[in-house]
Amino acid sequence: MRRNLKQIVIGTSIAAIFLIVVLAVILVKKFTPSKEKMELTEYYTVPQGQAMVFLDDTLYEKNARVIDNKVYFDLDTVTKYFGDRFYWDSTENLLFYTNAEAVVKAQTGEKSYLVNRTKTETNYVVVKTDGGQVYIAADFIKEYAGLNFRLYEEPYRVMVDYEYKDYLYLDVTKATQLRTASNIKEPILKELVPGDKLMLIDNGGVQENGFLKVMTEDGIRGFVKKKCLGESYYEKKTTEWKEPEYSHISKNYTINLVWHQVTNQEANGNLATLIAGTKGVTTISPTWFRVNSVEGTLASLASESYVQLAHNMGLEVWALFDNFDSSVDSYQLLSRSSNRERLVNEIIATAIRYNLDGINIDFESLNQETGPHFIQFLRELSVKCRLNHIILSSDNPVPAPYSKFYNREEQGEILDYVIIMGYDEHHSRSETSGSVASINFIKEALDNSLAMVPAQRLIMGIPFYTRLWKTTTENGVETLTSEALGMTNAEKTLSNNGAVPEWDETTKQYYAEYTKDGNAYYQIWLEEERSIEEKMKLIYDANLAGVAAWRLGFEKSAIWDVILKYIN
C-alpha cells in the first residue's frame, strides 16, 4: 500500500514537473521576441527603375522613376504637389517654369535649360518623355520649387519634404527593433539604437501591445515598443529656398478707367472731345490691338499722337489687346509656345513703340481647354512687363463655375490689376430679358472676386449701357431680341414712346416697359445716376483699386459727378 502511494506521489510529481517545463517553454517562447529579420526589398516591393515616394509622413500612390541614379517625377505629381507653375507644351515638347523674374524653358532630352535667354548646363537630362508621360528631374524641380528630397537604395525610395510644417517625433532611448507589425513575434526591419529619430505616423496607429507606428528618417515604416522611446515633441520642417516675390506697379490713387472703343483710325481724333465731357478719369484704354493670326501677329489702330495727347491731359494709356478675330483659334494661338512667345514679344515691342503706360488684355470666349495656356501667356507676359515697367491688367468675366479656368487667384498674384467685367448679366444671346448689371449681380461678383484677388489689385467694371428688349409674337411663337443703348439714347427712347420708368428695389435700377405696333413688347432696365451710385457704393465700401467703365461716350455727363463722390 505504501509502495503504491509512493509511486503515485512520484508519478504525480514527475507529471507536475513536466507540465511546469512545458508551460515554461511555452511562456518563454511566447514572451521571447522574434529574431527573424525581413529584407527591406521583400517588405517594400518596388519595380526595377522605380522608387517609392514618401511625401513627408505619407506614402504616395505613385512611384518616381530613377534614371542614371537621378530621380524623376511625373508631370501630374509635380503640378499637384510641387508647383502649378510648371507648364508643359505637348506640341513643341517644352517644359516651362515661370516666376516673377524669369521664364525658364527646357527642351525634352537636353542637359541644359534657358533662364530667359541665358543657358544653364546640367549633369542630368531635365525632362524626359516615355509613352506620352512626362517626367521632370527632381534636381531641376529643387531649383525652382524649393523641393527637398533624399534618395535611398535597396529598394529605391525618395523622401520628400513637401509641406513645411510641424511634425511629431520621438527619439529612441533604449536599443530595440522596428518590426513589420505591432507584435514582438513579427520580423525585424531595422535595429534601433538610442538617439535614432522617428516620426510618428498615422497618429501612432492602433496602439496594440504597447507599440507605436513610426517611420525612420530613411523611410522605413513599422512598429516599435513605446517603452523604448522618449517623450514626443514637435519639430518644424524648414527650407531656405524662397521663390522670387511678385512685385506690382500700384498707383497711389484710385483708378478711374474708361474704355474707348476705337474701330478705325478716324475715331482716335475724337479723344479730346470725349474726354472734355468727363471728370476725374485717370486712365484711358483704347481698343487698338487685335490678334490676327495664330502665329501671334497683331492688327493695330494705334496712334502716337493719341498717346501724346492723353499724356498731356494727365491720362495714362493702357491699350487694349483682344482676341476677337473669329478666324484666330485661341487654343492654337496660346498652346504653342512659339506662337505665345511671338505674341508676347509683339505686345511688348508695341507698348515700347507707342510709349504705353499699361497693357490691358481682353481675351474672351475662352474654353476650359485653353485656360491653362492663357494663364501661361499672362505669366510670360508679366515677366517682360515687369522688366520694362509696364502695367499689366486683364479683363475677366464675373466669377462663375464655367469660367473657373480663368484662375483669378493666379492672376491676382502675377498681374498688377485684375479687372472684373461687371456686366452682361443678360446679354445679346440671353433667352430671357433682364438687367445688364443688377445690384445683386455686382455684389456677388465683387464678393466672389475678393475671395480670390486682393482688393488693392482688383478693379470692378461697370456698364454705361443697357439693353432694350423686344418680344414679338407671331403665330403663337415668341421671339426675343435686344439692342445695346447708351444712357442718353435709352432715355430718349422711353420719352419718344411715352414710357415712364419706375424704381425697382430688387435690381436698384429704373425699369420701364411699353407696347408698340400692336404686338411688340419692350422692356428696359436703365443705367443712370442713381443705379451707378448704388454700384459705386459697393466699390467704395470694398476699398477696391478702382473702377472701369464700358464705354466712353455711352454715359451722361452727370455720371462723372456720381463716380467722383466715391473715387478721389
Side-chain angles (χ1 to χ4, degrees), residues 260-271 286-290 300-303 306:
H260 180 195
Q261 187 174 29
V262 177
T263 56
N264 52 57
Q265 281 288 348
E266 289 69 29
N268 287 317
N270 298 331
L271 176 64
T287 60
W288 276 345
F289 303 103
R290 178 160 296 171
S300 171
L301 292 171
S303 164
Y306 182 108

Side-chain angles (χ1 to χ4, degrees), residues 327-344:
S327 69
V328 178
D329 186 318
S330 292
Y331 177 82
Q332 294 298 325
L333 167 70
L334 299 173
S335 65
R336 291 188 69 99
S337 297
S338 54
N339 294 343
R340 211 171 48 246
E341 182 177 9
R342 187 179 297 108
L343 177 58
V344 167

